[in-house]
Amino acid sequence: MGGIPVLILKEGTQRSKGRDAQSANITAARAVAAAVRTTLGPKGMDKMLVDSMGDVVITGDGATILKEMDIEHPAAKMVVEVAKTQDEEVGDGTTTAVILAGELLAKAEELFDQGVHPTVVVKGYRLAEDKSREILGSLAKDVSPEQEDILMNIATTSIKGGEDHSVKMKLAEIAVRAVKAVVDYTDGRRVDPKEIKIEKIEGGSTEDSELVLGVVIDKERANTNMPRKVKDARILLINRALEIKKTEIKSKIDITTPEQMTQFLDQEENILRETVRRIESIGANVVLCQKGIDEVAEYYLARSDILAVKNISESDMEKLARAANAKVVNDLDAASSGDLGSAGLVEEKKRAEKKFIFVSECSNPKSVTVLLHGGAKHVVESADIIFNDAVRVVGAVMEDGKYVTGGGAPEVELALRLREYAASLTGREQLAVYKFAEAIDIIPKTLAENGGLDSLDMLIRLRSQHEKDNRDAGLDVYTGSVVNMAERGIIEPLRVKIQAINSATEAASMILRIDDVIAAGREKMPEMLPGGGGY
Ligand code: ADP
Ligand code: MG
């Protein structure tokens, strides 16, 4: 035939097809997994992340690390998505999910080399994923909200090593108490982590952290002549400024004499005095304002023994409204006592040399705030990451009531059972299920490796225990011995394990199905603009 080739793509387009495209994608995706591999487990290493502003975060949390890395390759970005999904869904198990995705891809390449078609691999992986869900479900144990020791263990397992033991216990204890305080029992058990407000405080040690039943805001009284403490608070939440907007003074006046000036100021003062009278008349003794408060208004508020706070953030206003059961008022003239909220106590208190407003003994007991202390900014930041994970895992078991053991125990058991399952299959998918089981082994192997142990030797010892039906046999990374993880209290929510397998399989399958990469020629970015986004 010959003839002139027909060009259907724009000049500058790069295209790779078939195995080339697949290999390149797999290599890029595996590189992401390799980047977080050394952080897995209690003996995993931390990474120090320095952003373009020079701010430092030290963490071993997979999701945080990947969020901060500027990853460009599209297939690699799909693996970063795995971490993001895992983080959003369950808050823990991100490194596990990413490592697993990388290994599923590595095993898929081995299958390609044996001539297995990608669609067969994807199908086999899908079968294995479904089976994993079933197997893990059968391994899970039940927990009730009253079993605080178990909830504590769930929390401490999610808090990685490196932390001081007492810090770990303190954060775990606060996480458990905070979650228990916010559980909503109306439809099963629901935990919304957003109900737990976190105030990060630079100063003091992390052990000074505390749980406050109520809302704490990072603000002080508008004026020191106001009461520091108000009992039986009747709270007015207002989202407009207690100031005079120039437009509110109707008639435009030309001030030419000092008398006129005084008159003008008197007029302003009268309006503000009226405003405060109005506030008093509806019965408020605490005013929490989203905007500014004029000094004159502050003066009258103080004279009326009203505690007022200004410039409160909108999100805090929402929390306060929920906690005190108040309506946020915009128009004072239309406001009534029915709009006021209530709290047993509103008080300005100091923490680490900083003043805070504590709104406690609220009408809604589900409002809690955690004051997270740390000696330096990066200490508070990493405590925050750790604490959030702890809240998420305790929340997950509170909702589901199911947990599994950790330390590689469920993975070793799962791999064994998947091999049995594979043996029951016919056709080429069987090969993919075997490879899936092999891929799962990466978790106990990496835990061992990061613990400085011989991974193959450990895997063999673990397997032999599981073959004797010791389902909870896992790896004590500190001593290098195989122990009963349930007895050790190394336990994790079932949901974390299932979600990790789910998101890893999904990402791997998506990458494996691609056999053609068509990339448009890049527009040249002007030098001044920062390149690409974070993820
Ligand atoms: P991820 O981001 O996947 O949660 P982690 O670094 O938190 O990664 O490590 C989680 C793994 O470490 C899980 O497999 C968990 O069972 C295991 N693990 C946690 N604590 C221990 C422990 N004390 N001994 C052995 N394994 C542990
Ligand atoms: Mg973890």
Side-chain angles (χ1 to χ4, degrees), residues 246-289:
K246 294 300 160 233
T247 48
E248 275 176 49
I249 302 186
K250 299 256 160 39
S251 51
K252 210 176 158 203
I253 40 170
D254 275 326
I255 299 172
T256 44
T257 65
E259 289 73 35
Q260 274 175 331
M261 186 67 196
T262 331
Q263 205 185 354
F264 172 74
L265 290 176
D266 280 351
Q267 193 188 351
E268 270 205 357
E269 193 172 322
N270 283 337
I271 293 176
L272 289 169
R273 194 205 315 239
E274 264 320 298
T275 305
V276 174
R277 272 208 195 114
R278 175 88 197 117
I279 290 172
E280 250 193 310
S281 74
I282 35 179
N285 54 11
V286 172
V287 175
L288 302 177
C289 180

Side-chain angles (χ1 to χ4, degrees), residues 401-465:
K402 298 268 182 203
Y403 71 94
V404 292
T405 46
E411 287 86 1
V412 173
E413 185 69 25
L414 182 58
L416 278 182
R417 305 260 193 114
L418 281 173
R419 286 188 177 94
E420 287 168 20
Y421 169 63
S424 76
L425 295 173
T426 52
R428 306 202 98 188
E429 284 85 21
Q430 184 187 49
L431 297 174
V433 176
Y434 273 121
K435 287 291 175 194
F436 191 100
E438 274 177 30
I440 298 281
D441 284 340
I442 193 70
I443 302 304
K445 268 160 84 179
T446 309
L447 282 174
E449 233 169 69
N450 290 348
L453 304 163
D454 180 339
S455 60
L456 223 49
D457 177 50
M458 284 316 309
L459 193 59
I460 290 165
R461 282 164 58 196
L462 282 165
R463 258 190 214 149
S464 83
Q465 285 299 316

